[in-house]
Amino acid sequence: MAQVSIKDNEVDVVIGVLHADMTSFMEEWRPVFSRFHLIIIKDPDLKDELRIPEGFNLHVYTKSDIERVVRPSSASLLLSGYSCRYFGYLVSQKKYIISIDDDCIPARDSDGNLVDVVTQHVTNLTTPATPFFFNTLYDPYRKGADFVRGYPFSLRSGVTCALSCGLWLNLADYDAPTQALKPGQRNSRYVDAVLTVPAKVMMPVSGINIGFDREMVGPALLPALRLAREGNLRWETVEDIWCGMCLKVVCDHLRLGVKSGLPYVWRKERGDAIESLQKEWEGVKLMEEVVPFFQSVRLSRAAVTAEDCVVEIAEAVKQRLGPLDPVFARAAQAMVDWVKLWKVVRTQSPPSVA
Amino acid sequence: MAQVSIKDNEVDVVIGVLHADMTSFMEEWRPVFSRFHLIIIKDPDLKDELRIPEGFNLHVYTKSDIERVVRPSSASLLLSGYSCRYFGYLVSQKKYIISIDDDCIPARDSDGNLVDVVTQHVTNLTTPATPFFFNTLYDPYRKGADFVRGYPFSLRSGVTCALSCGLWLNLADYDAPTQALKPGQRNSRYVDAVLTVPAKVMMPVSGINIGFDREMVGPALLPALRLAREGNLRWETVEDIWCGMCLKVVCDHLRLGVKSGLPYVWRKERGDAIESLQKEWEGVKLMEEVVPFFQSVRLSRAAVTAEDCVVEIAEAVKQRLGPLDPVFARAAQAMVDWVKLWKVVRTQSPPSVA
């Protein structure tokens, strides 16, 4: 890992909490998280009181905070389940956000060392990305690596990286059909690499383990596509996949980079994929429309901020996908509402929201 | 590695020989190469007699063979140095070709096992590629892996893979400036992954360690861009980089896949990068024109074979790059000549050339 100087106060770790007893989660993460400020968002549907061990610098937000800040907006309906974390992105004041699902614990690398997800995500975000030409030796900025022969020198300075997508050991992020078909499959391959996902290439961004530059692209991480029967298991959701494709389009348009690979988290087992199958098919069907849309959407030169970009994408969603399924029209409206909300919160004085 | 049934007689291993004493090279590779037919092309500039150990199934081609087959064409001028291997591609009758530089020996994987480059390249070539959407868990067809959540089911059957680009341990494939700047840098990171390079994404294909489907794209692997002061060190050449970008455009147009990653070879040290610097700058300068050209060139629907594609690319090279530097006009002509030669050789009866 390249050496980066992280100012700890430039990072918020945002955890959306779907399981009230956070004891084991927090203890497992203590070596990594104790240096940073944590934003804990309690799923508004979660009734039990949170159990959080002592010794962390954190702020907990609950249903009443969400309602106070978000009430005038349709977004409050969208902030349950995994999507409650978006509220944390909204109220954070930091440059970088790292977000990890609450059913993950730290992974170990090939040498058995605990993976510090925060440092790796921040390393990914603070070293350049290279979206305009593929480097076969992966991340050229990593210690011991470089640009290979034939890589144009004019592209070697790279661009700012805005999104870092981590991976998963043990239970990988498969959809319900795949998980149901291969219930015993576990991911044990630690691939020691980070790469820039090239410009104009679409990808399924998983929300399980990500880091991003909130100041650059924060408003593009938003709750928008909510399935009618979305549940509290990852394979029952596509909200993060939608958000990730929106974000990739924004990054491509603004000439920002997206990386994928390290860091890994260890994902614990839970849930029964076969029970989820019926719910998931809706998401599976939608992806057949969603992917070609995001592969072809193009933004105008007038879009120069993430907010601008989201509004343009929302308009295209409304026009091109809206007629296909009401879920898309709702997503388009939610995107517009979220950008408005983001602007309102940004113009308020910090103490009123955080 | 996924299980593939390789028919050994579907593979030619092509070695362009720049060093007359092949004893140690062949002995190192014996465990891997002894099952396969080898095509050995002696660099026409190499004066000494080849020394090849017993016990291999091979055919050696020398300057007189090249002159006999290629004489009427400008291509004979281009078939010295590393480019002599293209003659092997021309005369091969097999479906798959694996080609390795003669200063490489087998690498070992993370568990210390000898890497069988042929089996890994053939595995890459015989399992589908996925160029139209990025799979964050790398090769979805590998044992223990799959498509991640959000990957459209309609894209999961993939497309035929036509090119497999392997990597290098120890001395990586850097250009002369990088090598001169970091003379002690060695690549020791074994990244246990294969990925599809997405469609429309350009990359620097190194000729050091590749496998390809000769029946599908053979004529697109051709000697074309020869630097005025090209030498016998890899970092003094860009012939393979040019060829690789040409090939990537062909694959994208024909909806074929290109993979990068495993297998690794161990690249031995030789040469003095600082001495090569003056030569290399010509290649470095050219890449600034070459990359934008290949990123933007588009082929017509009438181009349905690799030959058609090469001819269309050559015409675009002549028109768009030709005025910039005479080396490009020569490359365009060489491409057209090579396709003609390819067709002539294909129509001759096998015994006259092999």
Side-chain angles (χ1 to χ4, degrees):
Chain A
M1 191 182 302
Q3 289 301 309
V4 287
S5 78
I6 316 167
K7 292 179 191 152
D8 296 357
N9 63 5
E10 286 188 328
V11 176
D12 266 334
V13 175
V14 173
I15 309 294
V17 181
L18 282 66
H19 306 92
D21 187 353
M22 296 185 71
T23 311
S24 111
F25 173 82
M26 295 295 276
E27 291 303 342
E28 295 271 11
W29 282 108
R30 189 181 289 275
V32 177
F33 287 172
S34 53
R35 286 162 54 205
F36 300 98
H37 180 247
L38 276 66
I39 292 179
I40 308 277
I41 315 293
K42 182 183 173 189
D43 175 5
D45 293 342
L46 187 61
K47 303 296 175 212
D48 299 339
E49 199 148 324
L50 296 190
R51 292 174 57 187
I52 307 176
E54 298 283 314
F56 292 92
N57 171 18
L58 56 80
H59 195 122
V60 176
Y61 295 89
T62 62
K63 189 173 183 176
S64 62
D65 299 299
I66 295 175
E67 287 182 342
R68 180 170 50 82
V69 174
V70 179
R71 194 176 343 119
S73 159
S74 69
S76 65
L77 298 170
L78 293 169
L79 291 172
S80 66
Y82 281 110
S83 294
C84 69
R85 65 164 67 182
Y86 292 105
F87 185 78
Y89 304 166
L90 187 69
V91 298
S92 168
Q93 310 279 334
K94 303 293 171 61
K95 180 166 177 59
Y96 299 111
I97 287 180
I98 313 301
S99 198
I100 308 289
D101 274 5
D102 73 344
D103 54 359
C104 297
I105 60 173
R108 290 185 181 275
D109 67 18
S110 317
D111 297 327
N113 301 314
L114 200 77
V115 173
D116 177 348
V117 285
V118 179
T119 300
Q120 182 67 53
H121 276 306
V122 172
T123 300
N124 295 349
L125 292 167
T126 53
T127 52
T130 53
F132 306 119
F133 200 64
F134 184 77
N135 193 50
T136 51
L137 275 190
Y138 311 101
D139 179 4
Y141 298 99
R142 191 165 172 183
K143 191 163 181 278
D146 213 311
F147 292 96
V148 299
R149 182 170 54 94
Y151 206 101
F153 276 68
S154 60
L155 295 178
R156 294 190 185 197
S157 50
V159 300
T160 301
C161 181
L163 173 66
S164 165
C165 305
L167 296 173
W168 337 275
L169 289 174
N170 194 38
L171 202 68
D173 188 11
Y174 297 131
D175 48 51
T178 304
Q179 195 61 45
L181 199 66
K182 302 178 174 179
Q185 180 144 308
R186 295 296 176 268
N187 185 32
S188 59
R189 185 174 302 115
Y190 185 93
V191 175
D192 188 13
V194 176
L195 56 86
T196 295
V197 182
K200 311 293 181 203
V201 170
M202 285 297 117
M203 61 184 296
V205 172
S206 163
I208 292 172
N209 168 18
I210 59 169
F212 61 95
D213 185 326
R214 193 194 54 79
E215 290 176 359
M216 292 245 180
V217 296
L221 286 105
L222 40 70
L225 191 72
R226 189 177 185 88
L227 301 181
R229 286 172 294 180
E230 180 169 309
N232 277 349
L233 295 167
R234 264 289 173 210
W235 53 56
E236 296 176 348
T237 71
V238 290
E239 54 82 16
D240 54 341
I241 307 292
W242 175 276
C243 163
M245 265 186 273
C246 176
L247 183 53
K248 184 65 167 61
V249 169
V250 171
C251 288
D252 287 348
H253 181 75
L254 299 178
R255 297 179 70 86
L256 299 170
V258 173
K259 294 181 186 173
S260 181
L262 303 180
Y264 281 88
V265 294
W266 183 273
R267 235 178 132 227
K268 292 194 287 188
E269 275 110 285
R270 65 191 191 85
D272 179 340
I274 294 169
E275 280 183 15
S276 304
L277 266 183
Q278 198 182 2
K279 294 176 182 176
E280 173 69 13
W281 290 116
E282 189 191 355
V284 167
K285 180 171 146 282
L286 293 178
M287 293 314 293
E288 301 293 333
E289 309 291 348
V290 166
V291 171
F293 167 77
F294 281 106
Q295 282 175 332
S296 60
V297 70
R298 292 290 175 268
L299 310 184
S300 79
R301 287 191 180 192
V304 295
T305 65
E307 287 94 330
D308 297 342
C309 293
V310 170
V311 170
E312 285 201 8
I313 296 171
E315 181 59 29
V317 169
K318 186 177 160 188
Q319 294 192 2
R320 288 176 48 195
L321 293 179
L324 302 179
D325 195 309
V327 74
F328 293 129
R330 286 195 294 271
Q333 187 58 48
M335 291 164 76
V336 173
D337 290 346
W338 186 262
V339 169
K340 283 182 193 158
L341 181 63
W342 188 272
K343 286 178 180 167
V344 168
V345 170
R346 291 299 115 193
T347 52
Q348 287 171 1
S349 57
S352 72
V353 295
Chain B
M1 190 183 302
Q3 288 301 309
V4 286
S5 79
I6 317 166
K7 290 180 191 152
D8 296 356
N9 64 5
E10 287 187 328
V11 175
D12 267 334
V13 175
V14 173
I15 309 293
V17 181
L18 281 66
H19 306 92
D21 187 353
M22 295 186 72
T23 312
S24 113
F25 174 83
M26 294 296 275
E27 291 304 341
E28 295 271 10
W29 283 108
R30 189 182 289 277
V32 177
F33 287 172
S34 54
R35 286 160 56 205
F36 301 98
H37 180 248
L38 276 65
I39 292 180
I40 308 277
I41 315 293
K42 182 183 175 189
D43 175 6
D45 292 342
L46 187 62
K47 303 296 174 211
D48 299 340
E49 199 147 326
L50 296 190
R51 292 173 58 187
I52 307 175
E54 298 282 314
F56 292 92
N57 171 19
L58 55 80
H59 195 121
V60 177
Y61 295 88
T62 62
K63 189 173 182 176
S64 62
D65 299 299
I66 294 175
E67 287 182 341
R68 179 171 48 82
V69 174
V70 179
R71 194 176 342 120
S73 158
S74 69
S76 64
L77 298 171
L78 294 169
L79 290 173
S80 66
Y82 281 110
S83 294
C84 70
R85 65 164 66 182
Y86 292 105
F87 185 78
Y89 305 167
L90 186 69
V91 298
S92 167
Q93 310 278 334
K94 303 292 172 62
K95 179 166 178 59
Y96 298 110
I97 286 180
I98 313 299
S99 198
I100 309 289
D101 273 5
D102 74 344
D103 54 359
C104 298
I105 60 173
R108 291 186 180 273
D109 66 19
S110 317
D111 298 327
N113 301 314
L114 201 78
V115 173
D116 177 348
V117 286
V118 179
T119 301
Q120 181 67 53
H121 276 305
V122 172
T123 299
N124 294 348
L125 293 167
T126 54
T127 52
T130 53
F132 306 119
F133 200 64
F134 184 77
N135 193 51
T136 51
L137 275 189
Y138 310 102
D139 180 4
Y141 299 99
R142 190 164 173 184
K143 191 161 181 278
D146 213 312
F147 292 96
V148 300
R149 180 169 56 93
Y151 206 102
F153 277 68
S154 61
L155 295 178
R156 294 191 185 197
S157 50
V159 300
T160 301
C161 181
L163 173 66
S164 166
C165 305
L167 296 173
W168 338 274
L169 288 174
N170 194 39
L171 202 68
D173 187 11
Y174 297 131
D175 47 52
T178 304
Q179 194 61 46
L181 199 66
K182 302 179 174 179
Q185 179 145 307
R186 296 295 175 269
N187 185 33
S188 58
R189 185 173 302 115
Y190 185 92
V191 175
D192 188 14
V194 176
L195 56 86
T196 295
V197 182
K200 311 293 180 203
V201 171
M202 285 298 116
M203 62 185 294
V205 173
S206 163
I208 292 172
N209 168 19
I210 58 169
F212 61 96
D213 185 326
R214 193 194 54 80
E215 291 177 358
M216 292 245 179
V217 296
L221 287 106
L222 39 70
L225 190 73
R226 189 175 186 89
L227 301 180
R229 285 171 296 178
E230 180 169 310
N232 277 350
L233 295 167
R234 264 289 174 209
W235 54 56
E236 296 176 349
T237 70
V238 290
E239 54 82 17
D240 53 341
I241 306 292
W242 175 277
C243 163
M245 265 186 272
C246 175
L247 184 52
K248 183 65 167 60
V249 168
V250 171
C251 287
D252 286 348
H253 181 76
L254 299 178
R255 296 179 69 85
L256 299 169
V258 174
K259 294 182 187 173
S260 181
L262 303 180
Y264 282 87
V265 293
W266 183 273
R267 230 175 137 229
K268 291 194 288 188
E269 275 110 284
R270 65 191 192 82
D272 180 340
I274 293 169
E275 280 183 17
S276 304
L277 267 183
Q278 197 182 2
K279 295 176 182 176
E280 173 69 15
W281 291 115
E282 187 191 356
V284 166
K285 180 172 146 281
L286 293 178
M287 292 314 293
E288 301 293 334
E289 308 291 347
V290 166
V291 171
F293 168 77
F294 281 106
Q295 283 175 332
S296 60
V297 69
R298 294 290 176 266
L299 310 183
S300 79
R301 289 191 178 191
V304 295
T305 64
E307 287 94 329
D308 297 343
C309 294
V310 170
V311 170
E312 284 201 7
I313 295 171
E315 181 60 29
V317 169
K318 187 177 159 188
Q319 295 193 1
R320 288 176 48 194
L321 294 178
L324 303 180
D325 195 309
V327 74
F328 294 129
R330 287 195 293 271
Q333 188 59 47
M335 291 165 76
V336 173
D337 290 347
W338 186 262
V339 169
K340 283 182 193 158
L341 181 63
W342 189 273
K343 286 179 179 167
V344 168
V345 171
R346 292 298 116 192
T347 51
Q348 287 172 358
S349 56
S352 72
V353 294

